[in-house]
Amino acid sequence: MAPAEVVTRAVRSGELPLTSMASAENEACAVRSVACPSQAWRLQKVLCGRCGAASCPSQTWRPGGAGRGGVRMGSRADGPRTSGHVTGKMAVFPWHSRNRNYKAEFASCRLEAVPLEFGDYHPLKPITVTESKTKKVNRKGSTSSTSSSSSSSVVDPLSSVLDGTDPLSMFAATADPAALAAAMDSSRRKRDRDDNSVVGSDFEPWANKRGEILARYTTTEKLSINLFMGSEKGKAGTATLAMSEKVRTRLEELDDFEEGSQKELLNLTQQDYVNRIEELNQSLKDAWASDQKVKALKIVIQCSKLLSDTSVIQFYPSKFVLITDILDTFGKLVYERIFSMCVDSRSVLPDHFSPENANDTAKETCLNWFFKIASIRELIPRFYVEASILKCNKFLSKTGISECLPRLTCMIRGIGDPLVSVYARAYLCRALLTEMMERCKKLGNNALLLNSVMSAFRAEFIATRSMDFIGMIKECDESGFPKHLLFRSLGLNLALADPPESDRLQILNEAWKVITKLKNPQDYINCAEVWVEYTCKHFTKREVNTVLADVIKHMTPDRAFEDSYPQLQLIIKKVIAHFHDFSVLFSVEKFLPFLDMFQKESVRVEVCKCIMDAFIKHQQEPTKDPVILNALLHVCKTMHDSVNALTLEDEKRMLSYLINGFIKMVSFGRDFEQQLSFYVESRSMFCNLEPVLVQLIHACVAYCFITIPSLAGIFTRLNLYLHSGQVALANQCLSQADAFFKAAISLVPEVPKMINIDGKMRPSESFLLEFLCNFFSTLLIVPDHPEHGVLFLVRELLNVIQDYTWEDNSDEKIRIYTCVLHLLSAMSQETYLYHIDKVDSNDSLYGGDSKFLAENNKLCETVMAQILEHLKTLAKDEALKRQSSLGLSFFNSILAHGDLRNNKLNQLSVNLWHLAQRHGCADTRTMVKTLEYIKKQSKQPDMTHLTELALRLPLQTRT
Amino acid sequence: MGTALDIKIKRANKVYHAGEVLSGVVVISSKDSVQHQGVSLTMEGTVNLQLSAKSVGVFEAFYNSVKPIQIINSTIEMVKPGKFPSGKTEIPFEFPLHVKGNKVLYETYHGVFVNIQYTLRCDMKRSLLAKDLTKTCEFIVHSAPQKGKFTPSPVDFTITPETLQNVKERALLPKFLLRGHLNSTNCVITQPLTGELVVESSEAAIRSVELQLVRVETCGCAEGYARDATEIQNIQIADGDVCRGLSVPIYMVFPRLFTCPTLETTNFKVEFEVNIVVLLHPDHLITENFPLKLCRI
C-alpha cells in the first residue's frame, strides 16, 4: 500500500509541480529570500505566504513557483520580469471583493416591478405569494421538530389503552425465556422455510420438531416424579467399602429397583424435572457402561412409566420428547451391543444384513431382551420399551419387525387415556418409519395412506424408494383419492431429497407419463408445478424445455393459465432458481413462450421482477450476449410499461433498481458504439423511471469520459470535457464532473501555440482565453471536493495557466488573471449568481466561512500581484498602449468587483487610472464614459464612496 | 487370579432334546501351569418337589420335602491327574442325552414347588494344598415335539355381572359387558397366547385389564397330594378406561423356564391357567379363569 501511495503522489506532483507540500515551503522561502532579493513581489508573497502558511497550509498555489526549489527559480530569473521596477506602493494590495446583491442588480436592470395590491387579479398570485411564504416558514421553523413534537404530544387512544395494562403484553413481558426462545425459534424456522420456499414443502424432520416441542410446551406448574432412589444410594457408596459390602449394596440396590422403594418427588419445577430426567439418562448410560443391563432396563421402564401420568397436561409433549430421548438412547445401546456381538474378528456385519448373518449368541441375547420385555407388567412401559428396541428384530428374522408392528399398534388400544395413546402411536411411527413403509406397501391400494406416508416421512426415505412409490401409485385405485395428488406428494419429496442417480430419468419419465395425461388443467398444473423442481434439479435444459412445452400445451387451451397464475409463477421461480446462467436459461426455447402465458399485467410484472432479481443476484460478469439482452430488455420493458400514475413510489424504486441492475451488467467492452446505442435504446424504453434515466446518464457520462480522449481536436476535447462536466453536474454526478474538469485542466498544457483552422495556422491563445473564461464560469458553481483543499480546481487551473508557455508580447495571461479575479470575487459572495438545481455550490457548503474567504482573498492578492507585475513589464515604449488598455481593464475589474471603500484598493484604482492615461494612449471617450458610469453608480445607495473616487480621477486632455 | 474353570456349551441357547448329544468344552485358564488330580464332568437331571406350607405344616414343608427324583446322571473323567500348561486349555466333551429304563427327560421347568433342572458340573481335584475347583452350568432340555396333530381350541367368553360367581351383593355391581375370545386354550409354548377383549359397555370406568398367568403344581406324596396355584406373571393389556367397542388384543408370551408343556406324571403335575383380570373403579375385581394346555410342537 505505502509504496503505491508514494508513487501516485510523485506522479501528481509531477503533473502539478506547484502543489508542493507546505512543510517544504519554509525552507524554500529562506533560500529564495537570499537568492532573489530583487523579486520583491515574490518576497512579499513569501512573507505573505509565511504568515499564511501556519493558518492555511492548504494554500498551494504560488505563482512563479513559490513552492518550488531554488533551481527552478533561478531559471525563471532570466525572464522579462527581472527588469521590472519595484515600487513598494504597488506591492501590497489586499483584495476586498465588493458585496454584490445580484438580485438587486438584476432587478435594477429590468423594468420596475409593480407591487401587486391585495385583491388585484393575478392568475399566479395565490401560488407565488402564499406558497413561498409558507415554504419559508417551514424552512425556518424546523418542520421536523414540530412534527416530532406533535407525534409525541398527540395521545394515541389505542396506545394509551394498551400501555402497560394490556394483559397480553404483560404476559409477554413476564413470559419465560423459553417461550421467547420458542417464538424466536419458530420465526427462524419460518425464515428457513421461506428460504426453502422453492422447495415448497412442509416436511420437517424430527430433530426440528423436537426442539420446537420442548420450547413450546412448558409449564410453571409443579410436577412430580416417581423415582427409585437407587442412583443416589449408589453414589453414596464410597470406595472404602469392603467388597462384600459392595456386593450387598448392589443387591440392595437391585432390590430397590425390584420393590417399591421408589420415592415420589413432589413439587418439582419444570427445570428440576428436566434435570431429573437428564440424570436418569445419564445413569442409564452409566449403568449400561458398567454392564448393569438389568438396571438399565429398569431405568427405562421407570422412565416410560412417567408417560402414563398426564397430570400437567401442557407439559406432556415436552415430557414425551425427553423420555423418548431416553428410550432412543436405550434402543440404540441395545442394538449396538447386539450388533457388536455379530462382529467377530473375521468380518463386520454390513448395514443391511439378514438374520442368517447374525450369530447365535447375538440372537440369543436379542431373544432374551424380548422375553424380558414381554414380561414387563405394565402396559405403557412394555409398549415403549419394546418399540424402542424393535429394530433389534432384524437379528431374529427378516419379517420380525413388520410382524410386530400390527401387534404393537393394536396394543396401543389398551391405553385408555387418549392423549397417552396418541403419543404412543407417534412414538411407534417415529421409531419405525421403514417398517411402516413395508407395511403400507403390503396394504397397498390405499391411496390415502400412501399420500400420508409420502407427506409425513423423511424425504430421503421416500426419494430412495421413488420407483417403488411410482409402482404403488400406479397400482392403487383412484377412487377416493386422486392419483395426481399422490404424484404431487412424491414430487414434493423428490424436490427435497435426491433419488438414486440411476433411477432419476426413469422416475421423471414414469411420473410425467401420468401427469401429462391429466385432463383437468388445475390437477395438471398442481402436479407439474411440483415436478418442475425435480426436473430442474437433475436434468439439463433439454428436459426442462420439454416440460415447459408440455405445460404450455396443457395450459393454453381455453386460457386455462388464467386460473393458474400462482402455480405458473412458481414454475418460473423454480426454473430461475436452478438456471443461474441466463444464456442457458434463455436458450430454453419454451421459456419466453412460457412467459407469454402471464397475460395479466400484475402477474406478468411479478414474474419479470423475479427474473430480474435472479439476474442481478446471479449474473457475475457483464454481458453482451444478444439473447440475454433481447430477452431481458423485453422483460424490463414489461416492468417499465407497468408504471403509471398510480404506481407507488416504492414500486417504482423497486422496478428502477431492477432495471438499473440490468443496465449495469451490460457491457460491450471496447465497442463503445454498441454500448451507446444500447443506452439510447434503453433511454427510449425506460423514460418513465427517473432513477433509470439517472443510471443511463451515469452510463453516458462514463461513456463520454472514455470517448473524449479519442478525439483529435484539442479544443473540441476541451469543450467536450467542459460540457460533459456541466452535464454531469446538472445530473448531480459530482465525482464524474470533477473527473471531467480535472481532465480538462490537465489537457490545457497540451494546447499548441498555433492551431489549424480552416487550413490556416492561427494562434490559439484567443481560443484558449475563450475556453478558460467559459470554464471559470462553470467553476463558480462546482462544489469543492471534501477531500481536496479549498478551491482545488481553481488552484490547479491557475498552476496550469502559470506554467503554460504564453506568446511573448501577449497579454492573454493577464486577461485570464483578470477573469480569475472576477471568478474569485464572485466566489466570495454570500450567494452566488447562479446555481444548479440540487447541487450545493461552495456558497452553501462553506456558508461564507471566514477561512474560506481568507483563502479566496489570498488567491486574489496573488493574482493581482501577477497582474501588476505584468503591467510593470509593459513600461516600454512599444508596449505603452497595451499597458494603458490593460490598466484600464484592470481598473474596470476593480471597479466592478472590488470594494473601493478599502483605501489601498481605492489608491490602486486611482493609480491605474493614471497609468491608463499616463502616456496619452487612452481613449478619451472611454475614459469619459467610465467616469460617467462611476458618477452614476455613486448615486446608488452604498456606493456613495464612489463620489469621492470620481473626484480623484482627473480626465487627461490630449495634449 | 489363579485358575479359572469354565464350561462352554456349544449351543448358545443351551437347549437340547432327548437323544441329542450335549457337547461343549471345558476351559481351564491360568497364568501358570496347573497341577491337578484329575478333572471330571457330571451331567445331572433332577426333579425337585417341595410341599407347600399350605398343604402340610411349615416344618414339614421345610424338612419333609419329597426326595428329588433323578432323571439322568452320568460322570466322565475328562483328564487324568497331571498338569495343565499355562494359558488356556480347552477340553471338548460330549454327552449323549439318553435315559435309562422308562425314565423320561422332562422339560426344564423352574417353578415354586416343582423344579426340573439339568446341570453340568465340572470338578477339578487338586492336591491338598489347593482347593478343588468346581463349576456348574445349567443346560436346558426341551421335550420332544408331541405326537399327534395340534388342534386349536378357541374359546369365546362374555363377562357380565350375571356370569360372575362368588359375588356377595350382585345388585351393588355396576353394569358391564365384556366380550372376547382366546384363539386357543391349547397353546404352543413358543407361540404367544392371543385373543381379543372388547369392552362393549361398562358403567364404571375401567382401571386396568390384566392377564395373569398361573401355574398349578400338584405334588403327590405319601400323605396324599398338594395342589398349589401361584402367579407366574401378570401382564397388563389395558391401562385406564379404554375405548368401548374397540378390541384390545390379548397377547402374552410364555416366559421361558417358568413354563413348560403341561406335564402329568405319577408323582407330580404341572399345569397352567390364565386369568383375565378386570379392575373397575372404584374397587371391583373381576376374574375369568381359563385353563390352558401347553404343548411343544
Side-chain angles (χ1 to χ4, degrees):
Chain A
M1 198 61 206
E5 211 171 75
V6 170
V7 170
T8 51
R9 211 170 258 176
V11 168
R12 206 178 284 156
S13 61
E15 280 173 1
L16 314 163
L18 287 176
T19 55
S20 67
M21 306 295 142
S23 58
E25 193 181 2
N26 289 338
E27 208 181 330
C29 290
V31 173
R32 216 176 299 125
S33 56
V34 178
C36 324
S38 62
Q39 290 179 305
W41 71 271
R42 279 193 186 166
L43 189 59
Q44 280 140 17
K45 195 56 237 154
V46 166
L47 289 171
C48 180
R50 199 178 275 163
C51 62
S55 61
C56 321
S58 65
Q59 188 180 15
T60 49
W61 185 65
R62 305 254 182 277
R68 262 181 272 159
V71 181
R72 182 115 182 234
M73 261 185 0
S75 68
R76 273 288 168 101
D78 305 331
R81 275 164 287 180
T82 43
S83 60
H85 300 278
V86 180
T87 56
K89 220 174 23 175
M90 291 178 77
V92 189
F93 287 109
W95 177 257
H96 293 277
S97 344
R98 185 159 70 88
N99 282 331
R100 305 280 294 269
N101 186 345
Y102 291 121
K103 260 188 187 167
E105 281 177 41
F106 190 54
S108 70
C109 297
R110 287 203 299 186
L111 293 172
E112 209 182 327
V114 183
L116 204 62
E117 289 295 316
F118 183 79
D120 282 1
Y121 171 75
H122 191 286
L124 294 177
K125 191 183 145 201
I127 301 166
T128 49
V129 179
T130 29
E131 199 72 358
S132 66
K133 228 176 201 171
T134 52
K135 249 186 194 165
K136 221 169 195 174
V137 165
N138 273 353
R139 204 169 293 151
K140 285 196 170 167
S142 72
T143 15
S144 62
S145 73
T146 49
S147 68
S148 69
S149 68
S150 75
S151 71
S152 61
S153 62
V154 171
V155 178
D156 176 6
L158 280 178
S159 67
S160 72
V161 166
L162 288 178
D163 190 23
T165 53
D166 166 33
L168 276 181
S169 54
M170 270 165 68
F171 177 75
T174 56
D176 53 0
L180 207 66
M184 274 160 60
D185 190 46
S186 73
S187 72
R188 182 180 55 74
R189 256 183 2 83
K190 202 173 178 186
R191 202 164 353 109
D192 288 352
R193 193 183 289 174
D194 287 348
D195 289 346
N196 292 340
S197 57
V198 191
V199 162
S201 167
D202 49 358
F203 179 84
E204 359 177 53
W206 172 247
N208 280 4
K209 211 141 197 154
R210 183 186 176 277
E212 195 190 339
I213 293 172
L214 281 181
R216 183 161 161 208
Y217 297 99
T218 59
T219 182
T220 49
E221 272 183 62
K222 295 294 179 197
L223 302 157
S224 64
I225 194 167
N226 264 312
L227 281 181
F228 39 83
M229 301 308 288
S231 50
E232 259 90 340
K233 251 189 199 169
K235 275 176 204 158
T238 52
T240 52
L241 286 177
M243 195 61 177
S244 59
E245 280 180 69
K246 257 188 191 167
V247 171
R248 199 183 307 146
T249 32
R250 181 162 301 167
L251 286 173
E252 279 171 7
E253 231 171 83
L254 284 175
D255 285 345
D256 284 348
F257 287 126
E258 213 71 63
E259 286 314 315
S261 81
Q262 302 162 6
K263 189 168 173 187
E264 190 171 19
L265 299 174
L266 294 165
N267 285 333
L268 292 171
T269 65
Q270 180 183 332
Q271 192 52 49
D272 292 339
Y273 195 94
V274 172
N275 291 343
R276 293 300 310 196
I277 291 188
E278 188 39 51
E279 266 173 40
L280 282 176
N281 203 355
Q282 195 49 50
S283 49
L284 164 67
K285 284 177 190 159
D286 293 346
W288 190 270
S290 59
D291 216 32
Q292 304 179 54
K293 304 288 174 333
V294 178
K295 182 179 171 188
L297 178 62
K298 295 225 151 107
I299 291 173
V300 176
I301 293 171
Q302 292 283 348
C303 287
S304 25
K305 251 187 211 171
L306 296 175
L307 281 175
S308 58
D309 173 23
T310 58
S311 52
V312 182
I313 208 159
Q314 61 269 46
F315 182 63
Y316 192 83
S318 294
K319 186 158 78 173
F320 172 78
V321 169
L322 292 169
I323 289 171
T324 51
D325 277 353
I326 295 183
L327 286 165
D328 288 347
T329 310
F330 176 73
K332 218 172 85 191
L333 288 171
V334 173
Y335 185 85
E336 277 167 6
R337 180 177 143 78
I338 298 174
F339 191 81
S340 72
M341 287 176 147
C342 303
V343 181
D344 46 21
S345 49
R346 284 168 300 163
S347 64
V348 176
L349 218 52
D351 276 346
H352 295 283
F353 57 90
S354 63
E356 296 88 66
N357 300 106
N359 67 25
D360 287 345
T361 328
K363 278 182 183 167
E364 190 57 26
T365 315
C366 189
L367 214 55
N368 253 328
W369 278 111
F370 280 111
F371 270 109
K372 204 144 244 156
I373 289 164
S375 66
I376 295 174
R377 208 190 91 79
E378 280 167 285
L379 175 65
I380 290 168
R382 191 168 70 243
F383 166 78
Y384 274 106
V385 179
E386 182 165 2
S388 75
I389 67 154
L390 205 52
K391 208 176 151 196
C392 298
N393 264 303
K394 277 211 270 187
F395 296 104
L396 299 177
S397 78
K398 262 185 178 164
T399 54
I401 302 180
S402 44
E403 281 164 14
C404 285
L405 196 62
R407 180 172 60 76
L408 282 172
T409 318
C410 289
M411 197 163 147
I412 298 172
R413 294 181 187 175
I415 302 175
D417 190 305
L419 182 73
V420 179
S421 79
V422 163
Y423 272 90
R425 271 174 241 271
Y427 183 65
L428 193 58
C429 294
R430 220 181 80 204
L432 296 163
L433 277 182
T434 323
E435 290 67 36
M436 289 283 208
M437 176 59 216
E438 294 307 314
R439 185 153 172 75
C440 295
K441 211 168 168 178
K442 259 180 219 142
L443 280 173
N445 282 348
N446 191 339
L448 188 60
L449 179 66
L450 212 53
N451 193 50
S452 310
V453 166
M454 285 193 288
S455 51
F457 281 18
R458 274 204 321 276
E460 293 79 23
F461 177 84
I462 308 286
T464 47
R465 292 163 181 76
S466 313
M467 285 312 289
D468 291 349
F469 272 99
I470 289 183
M472 283 187 277
I473 294 172
K474 276 183 176 167
E475 276 166 26
C476 73
D477 76 278
E478 208 157 344
S479 59
F481 203 82
K483 263 185 201 177
H484 66 89
L485 287 184
L486 293 177
F487 270 105
R488 191 182 140 81
S489 300
L490 182 60
L492 282 174
N493 279 304
L494 290 177
L496 275 170
D498 302 340
E501 185 93 41
S502 51
D503 288 352
R504 287 177 187 174
L505 187 62
Q506 206 188 344
I507 291 170
L508 181 65
N509 282 334
E510 292 291 332
W512 206 264
K513 233 187 266 172
V514 180
I515 296 169
T516 197
K517 278 182 196 140
L518 293 170
K519 291 280 187 300
N520 180 341
Q522 278 302 312
D523 295 350
Y524 171 81
I525 195 69
N526 279 329
C527 223
E529 174 244 307
V530 169
W531 280 86
V532 165
E533 168 98 24
Y534 174 73
T535 316
C536 292
K537 212 168 170 183
H538 301 297
F539 300 97
T540 61
K541 64 171 189 174
R542 211 188 105 227
E543 285 81 2
V544 175
N545 193 40
T546 316
V547 169
L548 291 183
D550 195 58
V551 174
I552 295 174
K553 204 177 89 194
H554 274 78
M555 300 312 286
T556 313
D558 304 327
R559 301 177 68 80
F561 51 77
E562 285 181 344
D563 301 323
S564 311
Y565 283 137
Q567 290 92 332
L568 293 174
Q569 242 174 304
L570 273 176
I571 292 181
I572 287 285
K573 272 187 192 163
K574 285 169 183 171
V575 172
I576 295 172
H578 285 92
F579 285 83
H580 292 168
D581 185 345
F582 274 69
S583 55
V584 174
L585 178 66
F586 288 120
S587 62
V588 174
E589 282 166 37
K590 292 293 178 183
F591 186 74
L592 288 177
F594 194 92
L595 287 186
D596 288 338
M597 283 201 291
F598 297 100
Q599 297 197 350
K600 190 175 160 194
E601 198 190 35
S602 60
V603 182
R604 201 176 168 81
V605 171
E606 274 307 308
V607 172
C608 290
K609 275 193 206 163
C610 282
I611 296 174
M612 289 319 295
D613 214 30
F615 179 79
I616 293 172
K617 213 186 273 170
H618 299 302
Q619 186 73 24
Q620 306 288 341
E621 304 267 307
T623 180
K624 58 173 182 175
D625 184 333
V627 179
I628 297 182
L629 292 195
N630 263 325
L632 289 184
L633 268 181
H634 175 73
V635 167
C636 288
K637 179 130 181 60
T638 311
M639 294 199 293
H640 170 265
D641 291 350
S642 73
V643 174
N644 56 33
L646 295 175
T647 311
L648 295 173
E649 275 305 312
D650 229 27
E651 174 78 2
K652 278 191 198 166
R653 204 174 307 131
M654 185 67 207
L655 294 177
S656 307
Y657 164 75
L658 291 173
I659 297 177
N660 283 346
F662 165 58
I663 292 174
K664 274 186 210 157
M665 289 314 282
V666 176
S667 167
F668 290 88
R670 301 293 300 168
D671 192 348
F672 297 121
E673 292 313 310
Q674 280 265 33
Q675 188 85 41
L676 190 62
S677 67
F678 169 75
Y679 289 146
V680 171
E681 195 184 351
S682 306
R683 203 207 75 83
S684 63
M685 271 186 176
F686 307 129
C687 53
N688 282 340
L689 289 168
E690 199 176 298
V692 177
L693 293 182
V694 171
Q695 172 66 34
L696 284 170
I697 289 163
H698 277 259
C700 290
V701 161
Y703 169 81
C704 293
F705 193 76
I706 298 166
T707 317
I708 291 173
S710 64
L711 303 176
I714 184 113
F715 278 103
T716 326
R717 263 189 280 167
L718 282 175
N719 283 319
L720 279 173
Y721 272 136
L722 183 55
H723 287 150
S724 307
Q726 286 166 348
V727 169
L729 211 54
N731 288 289
Q732 302 121 56
C733 310
L734 296 184
S735 55
Q736 284 89 339
D738 274 352
F740 276 116
F741 295 139
K742 274 187 200 159
I745 290 169
S746 54
L747 193 59
V748 168
E750 289 173 30
V751 175
K753 282 195 177 157
M754 305 294 279
I755 53 165
N756 188 340
I757 293 168
D758 300 335
K760 284 182 189 167
M761 295 305 280
R762 287 169 190 263
S764 64
E765 282 190 353
S766 57
F767 293 100
L768 189 56
L769 177 68
E770 186 189 320
F771 165 74
L772 287 174
C773 288
N774 199 350
F775 197 0
F776 292 145
S777 312
T778 309
L779 284 179
L780 173 63
I781 42 165
V782 178
D784 274 350
H785 193 284
E787 285 166 16
H788 295 90
V790 176
L791 297 176
F792 78 105
L793 281 175
V794 178
R795 280 172 206 280
E796 283 189 20
L797 188 52
L798 282 172
N799 280 333
V800 169
I801 294 166
Q802 175 70 20
D803 282 0
Y804 187 76
T805 326
W806 299 92
E807 285 285 332
D808 296 337
N809 306 321
S810 126
D811 302 323
E812 301 299 342
K813 182 172 167 186
I814 299 310
R815 288 191 199 289
I816 290 166
Y817 280 146
T818 317
C819 292
V820 171
L821 205 55
H822 300 170
L823 167 66
L824 293 170
S825 307
M827 275 183 165
S828 62
Q829 298 303 320
E830 203 180 309
T831 314
Y832 290 172
L833 181 54
Y834 44 85
H835 288 101
I836 289 179
D837 189 25
K838 291 179 187 162
V839 175
D840 283 333
S841 297
N842 284 338
D843 53 346
S844 43
L845 287 183
Y846 293 109
D849 183 68
S850 58
K851 270 189 189 164
F852 170 72
L853 291 179
E855 282 285 295
N856 199 325
N857 283 342
K858 261 175 214 139
L859 270 182
C860 292
E861 280 161 25
T862 320
V863 170
M864 276 168 69
Q866 286 273 298
I867 296 170
L868 293 175
E869 170 79 1
H870 186 78
L871 280 176
K872 254 175 275 161
T873 62
L874 295 177
K876 290 173 193 164
D877 288 347
E878 70 273 10
L880 285 178
K881 192 152 185 153
R882 276 163 59 201
Q883 191 191 41
S884 164
S885 75
L886 220 56
L888 187 61
S889 99
F890 191 27
F891 173 82
N892 282 333
S893 293
I894 295 175
L895 189 63
H897 298 284
D899 185 355
L900 287 172
R901 279 171 294 194
N902 179 279
N903 284 335
K904 284 191 173 168
L905 217 50
N906 203 315
Q907 184 56 47
L908 177 63
S909 60
V910 173
N911 288 353
L912 284 171
W913 180 266
H914 285 296
L915 184 69
Q917 295 191 100
R918 186 179 295 167
H919 302 288
C921 304
D923 177 18
T924 316
R925 263 174 44 207
T926 316
M927 302 305 276
V928 171
K929 286 267 182 197
T930 310
L931 202 57
E932 274 173 14
Y933 170 77
I934 295 172
K935 283 176 181 162
K936 191 186 163 197
Q937 285 289 304
S938 69
K939 281 170 191 146
Q940 299 218 349
D942 302 337
M943 295 296 233
T944 44
H945 56 279
L946 287 183
T947 325
E948 191 202 334
L949 177 69
L951 292 178
R952 295 174 64 194
L953 301 177
L955 272 176
Q956 205 170 54
T957 48
R958 198 173 296 183
T959 48
Chain B
M1 188 52 207
T3 312
L5 197 60
D6 197 14
I7 303 171
K8 280 188 177 165
I9 294 171
K10 199 175 173 190
R11 293 190 185 162
N13 59 4
K14 301 180 181 176
V15 173
Y16 289 87
H17 300 88
E20 286 179 336
V21 173
L22 168 65
S23 61
V25 286
V26 168
V27 183
I28 298 129
S29 47
S30 170
K31 272 187 200 155
D32 311 308
S33 54
V34 187
Q35 280 282 352
H36 66 94
Q37 305 293 344
V39 176
S40 63
L41 191 64
T42 310
M43 176 179 70
E44 204 172 18
T46 52
V47 179
N48 281 299
L49 300 176
Q50 188 156 25
L51 296 175
S52 74
K54 206 170 67 186
S55 27
V56 292
V58 177
F59 290 101
E60 277 122 325
F62 196 72
Y63 294 106
N64 288 351
S65 52
V66 185
K67 207 178 134 201
I69 305 161
Q70 197 159 64
I71 307 167
I72 194 170
N73 190 6
S74 64
T75 306
I76 49 168
E77 189 180 12
M78 296 185 81
V79 188
K80 294 219 161 70
K83 195 175 179 182
F84 288 117
S86 63
K88 206 162 123 182
T89 311
E90 289 191 354
I91 308 157
F93 63 84
E94 279 190 352
F95 273 112
L97 288 175
H98 286 304
V99 281
K100 285 170 187 158
N102 56 355
K103 283 187 174 166
V104 184
L105 272 186
Y106 302 125
E107 184 156 331
T108 303
Y109 167 73
H110 293 196
V112 180
F113 304 107
V114 179
N115 259 302
I116 305 170
Q117 202 167 13
Y118 296 85
T119 52
L120 270 177
R121 197 182 70 240
C122 179
D123 296 295
M124 184 197 279
K125 291 201 177 70
R126 297 211 275 179
S127 57
L128 290 168
L129 293 171
K131 254 210 261 177
D132 290 354
L133 288 177
T134 303
K135 172 77 186 181
T136 327
C137 165
E138 182 177 3
F139 68 94
I140 293 156
V141 170
H142 280 178
S143 55
Q146 266 139 19
K147 288 173 189 104
K149 224 178 164 188
F150 172 77
T151 43
S153 52
V155 181
D156 289 328
F157 60 87
T158 306
I159 312 172
T160 62
E162 288 70 38
T163 62
L164 299 179
Q165 304 158 357
N166 198 9
V167 185
K168 285 169 194 156
E169 285 273 13
R170 204 172 288 272
L172 289 180
L173 274 180
K175 286 203 177 102
F176 58 86
L177 171 60
L178 307 173
R179 249 193 259 278
H181 67 267
L182 292 177
N183 289 332
S184 173
T185 53
N186 278 348
C187 296
V188 179
I189 198 165
T190 52
Q191 307 286 315
L193 170 76
T194 53
E196 275 184 345
L197 175 84
V198 184
V199 180
E200 298 286 2
S201 66
S202 171
E203 275 182 0
I206 290 165
R207 252 163 69 180
S208 177
V209 180
E210 286 153 23
L211 295 177
Q212 190 181 33
L213 182 64
V214 174
R215 49 170 105 76
V216 183
E217 293 161 313
T218 315
C219 300
C221 63
E223 292 85 29
Y225 69 94
R227 190 170 191 272
D228 294 284
T230 47
E231 175 185 299
I232 302 173
Q233 67 176 14
N234 194 349
I235 297 287
Q236 189 184 33
I237 58 164
D239 180 19
D241 201 10
V242 292
C243 187
R244 305 288 186 265
L246 188 68
S247 67
V248 174
I250 292 173
Y251 181 91
M252 181 166 65
V253 177
F254 292 112
R256 293 187 296 185
L257 303 179
F258 301 109
T259 52
C260 64
T262 304
L263 189 60
E264 204 166 334
T265 69
T266 45
N267 296 333
F268 62 95
K269 277 204 279 192
V270 180
E271 292 158 306
F272 299 93
E273 290 172 359
V274 70
N275 290 324
I276 295 178
V277 182
V278 181
L279 290 161
L280 295 179
H281 273 289
D283 207 13
H284 296 288
L285 187 143
I286 301 149
T287 306
E288 185 83 6
N289 180 272
F290 301 92
L292 300 176
K293 187 166 168 40
L294 301 189
C295 60
R296 189 177 291 279
I297 55 166

